[in-house]
Structure formats: C-alpha cells, structure tokens
Amino acid sequence: MAFTVISGGANGVDLEAEKLARHYGLPVHVLIPPCHPRKASIQPLTHQQLAEAIPVTTQVAHRLNKQLTNPISLQYIHRNYHVVKKADIVLAFTCSEPERNVCMGGTGWAVEMCKVLNKVVYVYDAERNIWLWYNPNKDMFTACDQMSEEQYALPTLVKKTAIIGARNIYDYPEALLELQETFKRSLNLPKQEDKDLKELCNPFKFLSIL
C-alpha cells in the first residue's frame, strides 16, 4: 500500500513527519493557511476553503469550552480541519489531559475535530509515553497497552495519514523516537535506531517555523 503523509506544516511534529516521509520516499501533502510563513513555497488554502471549517470549529469550541477571537489563530485552527478531513487516520504526538479526555494546545482542537468527523485517531501522550486510542462508542481514550490481546495494536501509517502534534517535541525525546518507530513499523523496517534517523531528527538542523 502506498502511504501519503498529511501535515499542517508546523514546527515540531509536523515538520519531523514531513522529513521522515521524504526520507523514506513517501509523498507528503502539506496544508497551510494564507498567514503561514511557508506560503512562498507551498500553495496555501484559500480563505473560502478555511471558511468551510467554521461549523466544525464552532462545535469543537463548545466541546472544549474555549473561544478563539485572534484571526491568525483561527486560520491555523481552520487549517487543522482540512488536515483532519483529508486523512483516513490521525496520529497526534502531544500531551493529553486524562481527567478531561482531551489533548492540549492547538493539537487538542484537531483531535476534537477527529471526534466530530468520525476519524480514527491515536494520541501518543508525550508525558506518559503511551499510545491512546479514541473509542467513539465510549467517547473516551483507552491506553493501547490496556486493550485485550485481540484488540491491541500500535498504530501504523495507512493510505492517507495525518501526523500532527506539539511544536516542542524535542523536549520529549521518547516521543520523537516513537514518531520514527511509527514509520519503521509501518514500512516493516528493523526497530533498531540508526545514525541517519538521529541526524534526520536533529532539532538544530532547521529554522523555527510556525
């Protein structure tokens, strides 16, 4: 099966996923809003396209009990809608809030959009170093290592996989390694680390990008 990685073009997880995909020769589809600093090299979504996200964004704002009034922040949240909508599965590398059954930051908005749009979503909790799977029947996350033996499976890339997450992924080296391992697991490559991947994910090798 051919895998396509969908990215929101942000610094951190998004950009590392792009780099890994290209390292393995996988196609990458990067979706960015008009305000994004990479718009000179990547065709951004139009304002009309961003407006399609308003109904779902409104639902998510209600679920999170949050409001966004900053127009730039709204562009990025609306971009998240298109990343999620285009994907068959969403893999989020971020920190969760177990007591609220949500994820933190802008990634949290995208994860809630997955719930609204009935997308399969896994979250790698960077603080607890565990994979969580969202169970739509129970409207809650379940730790993958607590599933039954018949259910248990770590997520892999599928035909269209969105990979999103925290910009400060470099503060969580085990999460960064798990991002690498997700690609290797999906491509049936050996699990052992290699120097190429260590160099590929060196956080000092690129400029900061929103």
Side-chain angles (χ1 to χ4, degrees):
M1 177 187 293
F3 303 130
T4 296
V5 171
I6 303 165
S7 166
N11 190 18
V13 171
D14 295 34
L15 190 55
E16 291 304 316
E18 288 182 50
K19 290 162 62 179
L20 284 162
R22 293 191 173 101
H23 175 74
Y24 289 119
L26 303 179
V28 181
H29 191 173
V30 183
L31 298 171
I32 60 172
C35 63
H36 200 284
R38 296 173 70 182
K39 64 183 179 182
S41 57
I42 299 172
Q43 180 67 42
L45 296 162
T46 66
H47 288 285
Q48 183 177 2
Q49 287 174 311
L50 293 181
E52 296 173 16
I54 292 175
V56 171
T57 302
T58 301
Q59 290 184 59
V60 170
H62 179 72
R63 290 174 68 100
L64 294 173
N65 194 24
K66 292 183 177 180
Q67 288 186 336
L68 278 179
T69 56
N70 184 300
I72 300 301
S73 297
L74 275 171
Q75 283 196 24
Y76 283 101
I77 296 300
H78 291 163
R79 176 275 316 273
N80 288 351
Y81 163 82
H82 287 278
V83 170
V84 169
K85 181 183 176 184
K86 192 172 184 65
D88 296 321
I89 189 174
V90 177
L91 307 182
F93 292 76
T94 187
C95 298
S96 70
E97 298 181 50
E99 66 283 356
R100 296 182 57 219
N101 201 37
V102 298
C103 295
M104 299 175 65
T107 305
W109 287 76
V111 170
E112 292 303 307
M113 288 175 175
C114 291
K115 298 176 184 179
V116 172
L117 295 174
N118 296 315
K119 297 290 184 174
V120 178
V121 56
Y122 285 82
V123 173
Y124 186 83
D125 189 312
E127 289 187 336
R128 295 188 288 162
N129 294 311
I130 58 172
W131 274 109
L132 306 169
W133 168 68
Y134 176 69
N135 184 337
N137 295 324
K138 297 183 177 180
D139 190 23
M140 64 181 293
F141 284 99
T142 301
C144 288
D145 61 6
Q146 294 177 4
M147 293 179 178
S148 67
E149 187 174 341
E150 292 77 16
Q151 293 177 311
Y152 178 72
L154 294 177
T156 59
L157 305 181
V158 298
K159 186 175 181 179
K160 293 185 290 185
T161 305
I163 301 180
I164 60 176
R167 297 175 185 172
N168 63 334
I169 189 67
Y170 313 106
D171 294 338
Y172 303 96
E174 290 190 43
L176 185 57
L177 286 174
E178 180 55 31
L179 174 59
Q180 299 171 10
E181 291 300 335
T182 299
F183 276 82
K184 299 181 80 173
R185 181 167 63 243
S186 303
L187 297 168
N188 295 314
L189 299 175
K191 185 174 181 179
Q192 291 79 9
E193 293 179 37
D194 59 64
K195 292 182 179 179
D196 289 341
L197 283 178
K198 285 185 177 180
E199 186 68 14
L200 183 68
C201 290
N202 182 344
F204 302 105
K205 295 205 68 171
F206 55 86
L207 298 175
S208 179
I209 296 174
L210 272 175

